[in-house]
């Protein structure tokens, strides 16, 4: 499989007056090739823990950034098969998103938050993510319990298992939503602002984890609000502005002072690994 | 939450209403009169119950009882909490009878009476324009020859046929006061189901109101001549109001004779059939006339044994019916309907089709107005029942149409004249 | 952790078995008691000797076969049906306070019943009774309104469905009130029906209801797993391959069928659909399959008991079923609400 995402002329509108996405076409490779001889800046943005993961080239971390209302969530939902595109075709892992019968086998979708009417234990919630054949009676096999436990261990939250979803804080909820997605063990992971409610340590922990997962052949696409973190962790970036594609490509090429200024209308200057807004006197 | 509040309020309203229906007698203040076998509550009953009156479909599977056959309820969706309902009921039940009288004057009155509620009616002259808010009063007035005095009646006053010519003023529980006033009456007569509000409104307008209800004997020993005496009394009292006492005496003596004749003949009977008075059955619930009700008394006078006597009140059950296995089932039906078919319905409804009486075809109909409306026609009802229970002792008379065992009695059966 | 998980479950298995198995022996108790008490042995003998058809049947046989057995059967069916549809609606609408009548079905049934009574169609049609038929049709037709609404809307919005249901309820209740006002003599009949009762039953009605109920219940059980995902939200549900609109539609379809049948048998009996699923969830968690199964069991138990009390407490008078379920239900309900508020506080 060569392409993670292949979009051609995707448009969508929630209501007739204001289209949310207009004519998006892009291609994202399924893995970043080891040798990129056309690039001068190699792996400046890679965290030291990840080491030389891109050299292995098994997965890819794509970030979607853009100002509010630029259509990021819409794009992600189209990729997840939740919204049908009005025009164009979208291929995820070389399957058209509209024709995937059971998307949960290919992709795991992590929404920003969940609203649940009544209590569900965290464990039950995660188990929902693990497809079991005879789940009518709620019989939990040893296999599924193991998967759930592993997922919880990934995020170091084994002690959450008995807790009630309704009583979790925003950050804790985000963690368990992610855990459920991970328990699904799908090749693709689609995340909508997965770290917004977390504290700094939590953010770094999750991003490190995601990066580590790309080593294991996971294709990740995440909407990020923090440009710096996106620049640091992602391999590929899609920048949206006003529902149109502003830029897409390898992160180090895409996220630049000029692009940020044009896309976000905020002048920034680069300081080492970071982009810092320029103070206007 | 709104949904829940509504449920809660409706629940309270229904509980209070239901409580009064099932345990009706317990709530009524003992000082109040209770109509025997009819509404066991006072006219100040909050929810108002109309006694069996005409204009109902004779197909009787509605869940209704003899006394609440035509109900005139306030919107049940407006709920009143149970406690408040009880409090108001207690308050009104023990409220002193209204003291307002008719024309208050020092001049000598033509008639002065005390009605069933201890209220004194004082009229300077005999009334010339009467509005009758009770079907039984209408019937009685016509019988006394005072029908020409009636200028207004309720929607349910359907007997005799001449009553139809009188303009109606509404139902018993919610008559139109405007209509009544526009008729300029000098007397209002009422009976069971008369509402406290109506009374208050009329008294405010200083129109004299005469209320008459047959009191119930708590001893409840059916068949006591006390009951009939009370009925005779009401006829005589009403006659006094309209200066027809002679006619009343005649009528009452005829009634007494006929009643005595029936009771004496019945005493010769070797075997008294066990009778179930079926007000409704099936989906509508099983209702009959229980011990102490007026209908029970009539059944006993007619020489039958009321199976409903093992309960008090009106609610029976299919099981109890099977346990008692009556010999005769008597269905109450109101006159004027298309009639017929009670036996057919019983035959086609399980489990009633297994009752012995149904299988033997001993299902009879009777116009329940004869039984519910306290008045002269009660004796007709009595005679009719006696004929049904003891056909050998009461041969059919040519002046009366035959009645068929398995169909309703046609309305022509009720004799409309009393030959003194 | 795995051990913990299974251990906790095992603790509940006893309770679960109780819920599912109790209705049967309980029925025996209820059949043998009433106005006349028939000893168990006699009851079993009568049941074993087949349906009473001979002309000469003892009172006991008649009472058991024609009165008590249909009643207890109906109590079981209606209790199970109302409880499971309550659970379904609570899931679909993600609201603990949802009940089977939320989509306007109760008002539709009452309207049907009112029309039947006013037209005088109380006579038997195939021994079913006009009220049964008309209330069933009224309930179904009302459900159709919700269906067309769902079918017509592009995205299934739960709030919209809820509001539509409430509006339909109010509108039809208004119609019923109007009809009652115009026919005041029939008010009592209508109101008594709405209070719920299992007294006017016979085998024809039960045989009419049984296949429909089975179809509806089976359908609902097949919808249990989709419901688990629907509860999380339509987005997640779609990602898990659930056809959101179709699943919602199917669940409401089957629930409406079941509710319509129950209502035509028993009138409007409240609190069962509201309470039982909440109790089951408290005890067993929120997995829909489990909730459905145990709601059926507990609902059947509850209604059997309520009906038994209804016909014996003031014997021979009968309390309406709805009153009894409310009386038993309200304290439980308040307890639940308090527990919930203490949880979320």
């Amino acid at each position: 499989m060569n392409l993670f995402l292949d979009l051609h002329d995707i448009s969508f509108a929630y209501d007739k007056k204001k289209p949310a996405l207009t004519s998006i076409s892009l291609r994202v490779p399924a893995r970043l090739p080891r040798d990129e001889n056309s690039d001068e800046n190699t792996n400046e943005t890679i965290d030291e823990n990840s080491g030389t993961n891109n050299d292995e080239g098994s997965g890819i971390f794509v970030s979607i950034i853009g100002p509010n209302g630029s259509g990021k969530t819409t794009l992600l939902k189209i990729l997840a098969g939740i919204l049908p595109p009005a025009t164009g075709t979208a291929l995820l892992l070389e399957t058209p998103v509209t024709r995937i019968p059971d998307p949960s086998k290919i992709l795991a979708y992590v929404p920003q938050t969940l609203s649940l009417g009544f209590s569900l234990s965290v464990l039950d919630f995660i188990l929902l993510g693990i497809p079991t054949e005879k789940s009518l009676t709620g019989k939990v096999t040893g296999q599924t319990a193991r998967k759930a436990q592993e997922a919880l261990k990934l995020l170091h939250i084994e002690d959450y298992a008995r807790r009630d979803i309704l009583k979790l804080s925003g950050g804790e909820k985000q963690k368990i939503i992610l855990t459920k997605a991970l328990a699904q063990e799908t090749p693709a992971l689609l995340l909508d602002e997965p770290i917004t409610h977390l504290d700094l340590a939590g953010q770094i922990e999750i991003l490190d984890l995601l990066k580590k997962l790309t080593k294991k052949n996971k294709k990740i696409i995440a909407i990020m609000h923090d440009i710096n973190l996106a620049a640091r962790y992602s391999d590929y970036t899609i920048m949206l502005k006003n529902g149109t594609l502003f830029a897409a490509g390898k992160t180090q090429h895409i996220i630049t002072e000029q692009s940020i200024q044009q896309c976000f209308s905020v002048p920034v200057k680069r300081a080492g690994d970071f982009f810092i807004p320029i103070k206007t006197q | 939450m709104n949904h829940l509040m509504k449920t809660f309020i409706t629940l309270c309203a229904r509980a209070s209403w239901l409580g009064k229906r099932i345990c009706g007698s317990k709530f009524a203040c003992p000082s109040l009169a209770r109509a025997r076998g009819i509404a066991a509550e006072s006219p100040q009953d909050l929810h108002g119950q109309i006694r069996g009156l005409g204009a109902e479909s004779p197909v009787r599977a509605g869940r209704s009882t003899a006394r609440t056959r035509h109900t005139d309820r306030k919107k049940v969706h407006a709920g009143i909490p149970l406690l408040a309902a009880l409090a108001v009921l207690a308050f009104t039940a023990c409220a002193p009878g209204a003291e307002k009288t008719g024309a208050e004057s020092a001049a000598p009155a033509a008639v002065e009476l005390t009605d069933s509620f201890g209220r004194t009616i004082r009229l300077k002259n005999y009334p010339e324009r009467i509005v009758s808010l009770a079907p039984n009063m209408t019937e009685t007035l016509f019988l006394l020859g005072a029908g020409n005095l009636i200028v207004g009646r309720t929607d349910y006053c359907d007997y005799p046929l001449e009553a139809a010519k009188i303009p109606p003023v509404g139902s018993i529980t919610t008559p139109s006061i405007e209509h009544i006033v526009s008729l300029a009456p000098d007397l209002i007569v009422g009976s069971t189901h008369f509402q406290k509000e109506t009374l208050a409104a009329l008294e405010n307008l200083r129109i004299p109101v005469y209320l008459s209800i047959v009191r119930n004997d708590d001893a409840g020993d059916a068949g006591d001549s006390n009951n009939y005496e009370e009925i005779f009394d009401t006829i005589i009292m009403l006659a006094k109001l309209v200066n027809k006492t002679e006619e009343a005496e005649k009528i009452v003596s005829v009634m007494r004779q006929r009643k005595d004749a029936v009771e004496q003949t019945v005493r010769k009977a070797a075997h008294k059939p066990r009778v179930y008075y079926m007000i409704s059955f099936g989906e509508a619930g099983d209702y009959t006339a229980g011990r102490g009700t007026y209908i029970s008394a009539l059944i006993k006078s007619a020489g039958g044994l009321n199976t409903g006597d093992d309960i008090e009140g009106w609610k029976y059950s299919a099981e109890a019916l099977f346990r008692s296995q009556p010999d005769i089932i008597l269905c109450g039906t109101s006159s004027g309907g298309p009639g017929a078919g009670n036996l057919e319905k019983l035959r086609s409804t399980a489990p009633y089709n297994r009752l012995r009486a149904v299988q033997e075809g001993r299902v009879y109909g009777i116009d329940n107005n004869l039984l519910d409306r306290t008045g002269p026609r009660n004796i007709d009802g009595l005679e009719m029942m006696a004929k049904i229970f003891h056909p050998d002792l009461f041969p059919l008379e040519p002046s009366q149409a035959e009645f068929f065992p398995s169909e309703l009695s046609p309305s022509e059966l009720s004799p409309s004249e009393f030959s003194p | 952790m795995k051990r913990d998980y299974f251990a906790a479950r095992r603790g509940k298995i006893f309770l679960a078995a109780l819920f599912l198995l109790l209705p049967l022996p309980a029925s025996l108790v209820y059949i043998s008691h009433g106005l006349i008490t028939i000893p168990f042995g006699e009851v079993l003998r009568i049941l074993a000797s087949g349906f009473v058809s001979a002309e000469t049947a003892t009172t006991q046989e008649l009472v058991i076969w024609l009165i008590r057995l249909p009643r207890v059967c109906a109590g079981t069916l209606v209790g199970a049906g109302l409880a499971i549809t309550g659970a379904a609606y609570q899931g679909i609408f993600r609201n603990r306070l949802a009940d089977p009548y939320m989509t306007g079905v109760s008002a539709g049934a009452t309207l049907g019943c009112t029309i039947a009574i006013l037209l005088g169609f109380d006579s038997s049609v195939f021994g079913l009774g006009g009220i049964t038929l008309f209330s069933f049709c009224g309930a179904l037709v009302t459900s159709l309104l919700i269906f067309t609404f769902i079918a017509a809307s592009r995205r299934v919005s739960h709030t919209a469905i809820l509001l539509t249901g409430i509006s339909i309820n109010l509108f039809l209740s208004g119609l019923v009130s109007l009809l009652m006002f115009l026919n005041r003599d029939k008010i009592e009949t209508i109101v008594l029906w709405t209070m719920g009762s299992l007294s006017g039953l016979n085998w024809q009605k039960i045989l009419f209801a049984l296949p429909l109920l089975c179809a509806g219940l089976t359908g609902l059980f097949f919808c249990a797993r989709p419901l688990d995902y629907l509860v999380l939200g339509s987005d997640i549900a779609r990602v898990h391959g659930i056809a959101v609109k179709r699943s919602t539609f199917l669940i409401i379809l089957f629930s409406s069928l079941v509710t319509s049948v129950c209502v035509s048998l028993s009138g409007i009996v409240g609190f069962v659909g509201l309470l039982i699923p909440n109790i089951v969830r408290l005890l067993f968690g929120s997995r829909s399959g489990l909730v459905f199964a145990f709601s059926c069991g507990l609902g059947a138990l509850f209604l059997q008991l309520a009906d038994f009390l209804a016909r014996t407490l003031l014997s021979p008078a009968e309390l309406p079923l709805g009153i009894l379920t409310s009386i038993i239900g309200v304290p439980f309900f308040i307890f639940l609400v308090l527990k919930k508020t203490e949880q979320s506080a």
Side-chain angles (χ1 to χ4, degrees):
Chain A
M1 182 170 322
N2 289 326
L3 284 180
F4 176 25
L5 302 172
D6 184 359
L7 277 66
H8 182 70
D9 194 28
I10 292 287
S11 307
F12 185 83
Y14 286 108
D15 66 71
K16 301 278 190 314
K17 296 181 208 126
K18 187 176 169 317
L21 286 179
T22 317
S23 200
I24 310 267
S25 299
L26 57 89
R27 284 177 161 190
V28 177
R31 63 183 68 82
L32 270 191
R34 269 195 292 164
D35 35 287
E36 278 288 325
N37 37 26
S38 57
D39 298 337
E40 53 278 27
N41 303 332
T42 44
N43 305 335
E44 239 182 338
T45 58
I46 291 176
D47 181 31
E48 39 189 60
N49 275 352
S50 333
T52 53
N53 56 349
N54 262 354
D55 291 343
E56 295 181 52
S58 49
I60 189 168
F61 189 148
V62 181
S63 63
I64 304 181
I65 60 176
N68 284 339
S70 50
K72 309 190 288 296
T73 305
T74 313
L75 180 62
L76 196 69
K77 282 191 175 176
I78 290 181
L79 291 174
I82 296 174
L83 296 174
T87 68
T89 50
L91 298 173
L92 181 89
L93 295 175
E94 297 177 3
T95 332
V97 290
T98 46
R99 288 210 207 100
I100 310 177
D102 187 5
S104 65
K105 295 231 176 4
I106 308 181
L107 60 96
Y109 174 70
V110 179
Q112 275 190 44
T113 184
L114 269 186
S115 59
L116 209 56
F118 23 72
S119 359
L120 196 59
S121 75
V122 168
L123 189 57
D124 279 335
F125 175 69
I126 293 174
L127 287 171
L128 277 178
I130 307 172
T132 52
E133 301 74 36
K134 294 282 176 286
S135 69
L136 202 68
T137 48
K139 199 160 76 83
V140 177
T141 63
Q143 174 86 329
T144 35
R146 184 187 54 78
K147 282 193 194 176
Q149 189 173 10
E150 278 174 10
L152 283 169
K153 221 191 310 199
L154 272 178
L155 277 101
H156 310 293
I157 49 170
E158 294 97 319
D159 52 332
Y160 281 26
R162 313 231 117 261
R163 292 178 60 184
D164 184 350
I165 280 195
L166 288 180
K167 295 191 199 161
L168 295 176
S169 70
E172 291 166 335
K173 256 197 209 159
Q174 273 198 316
K175 282 195 181 173
I176 59 135
I177 299 177
L178 181 58
T179 314
K180 170 174 166 293
L182 292 175
Q184 280 177 251
E185 295 182 352
T186 54
L189 200 57
L190 278 64
L191 308 114
D192 193 342
E193 298 189 31
I195 54 175
T196 319
H197 297 293
L198 297 172
D199 57 18
L200 188 59
Q203 293 184 339
I204 301 296
E205 182 191 340
I206 298 294
L207 288 173
D208 283 345
L209 171 67
L210 290 178
K211 199 71 181 176
K212 211 163 33 167
L213 288 174
T214 58
K215 255 195 281 184
K216 306 213 179 88
N217 207 18
K218 245 194 173 40
K219 332 271 184 243
I220 299 180
I221 176 166
I223 297 176
M224 310 264 283
H225 258 249
D226 190 326
I227 304 176
N228 285 314
L229 287 175
R232 215 164 130 86
Y233 280 92
S234 59
D235 307 315
Y236 212 86
T237 300
I238 300 172
M239 275 176 95
L240 295 178
K241 178 178 181 178
N242 278 337
T244 56
L245 183 63
F246 183 79
K250 293 182 65 165
T251 305
Q252 57 258 47
H253 299 158
I254 298 299
I255 302 187
T256 62
E257 287 174 359
Q258 298 86 331
S259 65
I260 294 179
Q261 173 145 14
Q262 281 176 9
C263 186
F264 290 85
S265 312
V266 173
V268 296
K269 73 166 188 263
R270 196 182 187 120
D273 284 341
F274 299 95
F275 297 89
I276 305 177
I278 298 172
K279 261 204 242 189
T280 52
Q281 255 75 11
Chain B
M1 263 317 166
N2 199 16
H3 171 68
L4 284 170
M5 276 310 287
K6 185 173 159 192
T7 314
F8 179 68
I9 291 177
T10 318
L11 163 69
C12 287
R14 287 172 182 176
S16 77
W17 172 81
L18 183 76
K20 289 215 296 269
R21 282 215 46 237
I22 287 185
C23 320
S25 52
K26 297 187 185 73
F27 282 116
C29 182
S31 69
L32 277 182
R34 285 180 351 215
R36 172 166 277 237
I38 312 173
E41 266 116 282
S42 72
Q44 288 115 338
D45 169 24
L46 279 174
H47 290 287
Q49 294 158 3
I50 306 180
R51 296 156 49 237
L53 309 154
E56 185 202 78
S57 155
V59 177
R60 288 292 224 92
R63 290 183 203 241
S64 53
T65 68
R67 59 185 179 157
T68 55
R69 210 164 291 129
H70 305 270
T71 53
D72 182 13
R73 292 186 191 283
K74 303 191 167 81
K75 240 179 114 154
V76 287
H77 286 295
I80 310 174
L82 177 62
L83 245 54
L86 283 181
V88 176
L89 182 61
F91 174 70
T92 60
C94 303
E99 305 83 4
K100 286 243 182 133
T101 65
E104 286 178 28
S105 61
V111 51
E112 180 171 330
L113 280 182
T114 312
D115 73 2
S116 306
F117 292 95
R119 304 169 52 253
T120 314
I121 317 295
R122 224 178 265 122
L123 300 174
K124 263 200 300 194
N125 308 306
Y126 287 114
E128 290 173 1
R129 300 178 64 81
I130 305 181
V131 167
S132 165
L133 292 182
N136 59 329
M137 302 297 246
T138 308
E139 292 183 13
T140 315
L141 281 172
F142 267 96
L143 198 58
L144 291 170
N148 54 318
L149 299 177
I150 308 181
V151 294
R153 58 162 179 99
T154 74
D155 297 331
Y156 299 101
C157 299
D158 57 357
Y159 184 89
L161 297 171
E162 292 87 345
K165 298 191 200 127
I166 306 175
V169 297
S171 71
I172 298 184
T173 49
T174 54
S176 162
I177 306 290
E178 266 188 49
H179 267 93
I180 297 177
V181 167
S182 70
L183 294 167
D186 42 25
L187 176 67
I188 315 277
V189 294
S191 188
T192 42
H193 301 296
F194 201 80
Q195 293 291 290
K196 192 176 192 313
E197 295 81 32
T198 319
L199 183 62
L202 292 171
E203 285 177 338
N204 274 339
L205 297 166
R206 305 202 177 257
I207 306 177
V209 180
Y210 173 73
L211 298 174
S212 153
I213 291 189
V214 172
R215 289 170 197 277
N216 209 359
D217 245 347
D218 269 318
D221 191 7
D224 273 349
S225 52
N226 281 346
N227 311 319
Y228 297 102
E229 292 305 320
E230 288 187 33
I231 299 182
F232 301 151
D233 272 344
T234 57
I235 299 179
I236 293 179
M237 297 280 273
L238 191 57
K240 280 193 193 155
L241 269 181
V242 294
N243 198 18
K244 298 271 188 189
T245 15
E246 271 185 42
E247 288 84 342
E249 300 286 347
K250 271 193 266 182
I251 291 169
V252 164
S253 85
V254 166
M255 286 174 74
R256 213 178 256 125
Q257 278 172 26
R258 291 169 66 182
K259 180 208 72 147
D260 288 338
V262 166
E263 285 181 341
Q264 273 170 11
T265 317
V266 154
R267 251 175 242 137
K268 293 186 245 162
H271 161 71
K272 295 198 169 162
R274 300 178 56 253
V275 178
Y276 177 73
Y277 181 66
M278 181 177 272
I279 297 173
S280 68
F281 68 96
E283 284 174 335
D286 298 280
Y287 287 92
T288 187
R291 171 177 64 241
T293 58
Y294 183 47
I295 295 179
S296 173
L298 285 176
I299 291 177
K300 185 165 173 192
S301 284
L305 297 169
N306 182 23
T307 53
D309 272 352
D310 49 61
I311 55 145
E312 263 195 38
W314 305 86
K315 187 74 179 69
Y316 216 54
S317 74
E319 264 191 48
L321 197 53
F322 270 90
R323 193 173 64 158
S324 56
Q325 286 288 11
D327 304 313
I328 292 179
I329 295 182
L330 194 61
C331 297
T333 67
S334 54
S335 54
N342 268 330
L343 180 62
E344 306 316 313
K345 280 172 58 187
L346 281 172
R347 279 215 165 120
S348 58
T349 310
Y352 300 95
N353 50 8
R354 300 304 197 99
L355 286 170
R356 189 160 36 91
V358 175
Q359 289 178 330
E360 293 171 4
R362 302 196 70 188
V363 175
Y364 307 92
I366 189 167
D367 180 359
N368 50 281
N369 283 338
L370 301 180
L371 307 177
D372 293 334
R373 297 183 184 175
T374 47
R377 290 209 289 163
N378 291 147
I379 303 297
D380 296 340
L382 180 66
E383 289 179 342
M384 224 165 269
M385 286 202 290
K387 284 181 170 58
I388 295 175
F389 300 162
H390 301 278
D392 45 322
L393 296 174
F394 295 93
L396 298 180
E397 282 151 20
S399 62
Q400 293 179 338
E402 314 116 279
F403 56 92
F404 306 95
S406 37
E407 286 178 8
L408 303 175
S409 48
S411 53
E412 301 85 12
L413 279 191
S414 26
S416 47
E417 53 286 312
F418 293 82
S419 41
Chain C
M1 187 204 78
K2 184 167 83 177
R3 202 179 314 141
D4 287 339
Y5 184 77
F6 284 126
R9 283 280 162 102
R10 223 170 281 128
K12 297 272 169 68
I13 285 186
F14 175 67
L15 211 55
L18 210 67
F19 283 173
L20 290 180
L21 296 177
L22 258 190
L24 205 56
S27 310
L28 205 59
V29 174
Y30 298 139
I31 292 179
S32 71
H33 287 89
L35 204 60
I36 10 177
T37 307
I38 307 173
F40 288 143
E42 188 64 20
V43 172
L44 288 172
R45 186 192 68 78
I46 293 179
L47 288 176
S49 54
F51 191 73
V52 54
S53 50
E55 289 311 315
T56 54
T58 65
T59 311
Q60 288 190 345
E61 288 175 357
L62 286 174
V63 163
I64 288 187
W65 274 106
L66 295 180
I67 300 181
R68 289 197 190 160
L69 192 55
R71 255 186 110 120
V72 171
C73 277
T76 318
L77 292 174
V78 170
L82 289 177
I84 198 176
T85 47
Y89 281 165
Q90 283 170 7
I92 287 262
F93 295 121
R94 293 195 251 167
N95 186 345
R96 263 188 221 252
L97 298 179
D99 68 19
Y101 306 126
M102 211 157 213
T103 51
V105 157
S106 64
T110 312
L111 184 62
C113 158
T114 308
I115 294 179
I117 292 176
L118 293 184
L119 293 180
F121 280 152
D122 333 58
S123 52
S124 308
V125 180
F126 312 119
L128 273 183
I131 295 185
T132 308
L133 269 184
F134 272 72
S135 57
F136 176 69
C137 294
L140 263 190
V141 166
T142 314
S143 319
L144 279 177
L145 292 174
I146 296 273
F147 294 159
T148 46
F149 176 72
I150 297 179
S153 54
R154 191 166 51 93
R155 289 199 69 200
V156 181
S157 155
H158 299 123
T159 329
I161 298 181
L162 253 174
L163 287 177
T164 310
I166 294 180
S167 329
I168 292 179
N169 234 332
L170 290 175
F171 173 66
L172 292 178
S173 300
L175 269 186
V176 169
S177 299
L178 176 66
L179 287 175
M180 287 205 287
F181 173 77
L182 294 175
N183 298 273
R184 265 170 269 186
D185 46 332
K186 300 289 202 304
I187 286 185
E188 179 180 345
T189 314
I190 299 168
V191 168
L192 268 175
W193 183 87
T194 60
M195 290 194 190
S197 159
L198 286 177
S199 64
L201 284 178
N202 52 36
W203 280 110
Q204 287 98 324
K205 291 188 193 175
I206 301 210
L207 290 177
F208 156 75
L210 201 54
L212 294 172
L213 261 179
C214 286
L217 286 179
T218 317
L220 274 178
F221 271 104
F222 275 110
C223 290
R225 187 161 166 79
L227 186 61
D228 272 331
Y229 292 109
L230 283 175
V231 163
L232 297 178
S234 16
D235 289 346
I236 297 208
R238 215 165 270 131
V239 168
H240 278 272
I242 312 285
V244 172
K245 197 156 148 177
R246 191 184 67 170
S247 300
T248 313
F249 181 86
L250 279 179
I251 291 183
I252 298 193
L253 172 76
F254 289 127
S255 301
S256 302
L257 181 64
V258 170
T259 312
S260 305
V261 169
C262 290
V263 154
S264 70
L265 279 182
S266 71
I268 317 278
V269 178
F271 271 103
V272 180
L274 178 62
L275 257 189
I276 304 290
N278 277 311
I279 297 180
V280 168
R281 261 196 214 96
L282 258 183
L283 293 173
F284 298 106
S286 291
R287 292 190 70 101
S288 298
L290 291 181
V291 173
F292 279 1
F294 296 134
S295 297
C296 278
L298 189 57
L301 274 179
F302 181 64
L303 205 65
Q304 279 181 344
L305 177 65
D307 179 53
F308 178 68
L309 290 176
R311 68 180 164 94
T312 48
L313 272 185
L314 290 181
S315 185
E318 266 184 39
L319 281 173
L321 211 52
I323 303 263
L324 244 108
T325 54
S326 309
I327 291 180
I328 305 180
V330 164
F332 263 111
F333 184 67
I334 295 183
F335 164 72
L336 259 185
V337 167
L338 286 178
K339 203 174 197 307
K340 178 84 171 64
T341 48
E342 138 201 322
Q343 267 180 6
S344 48

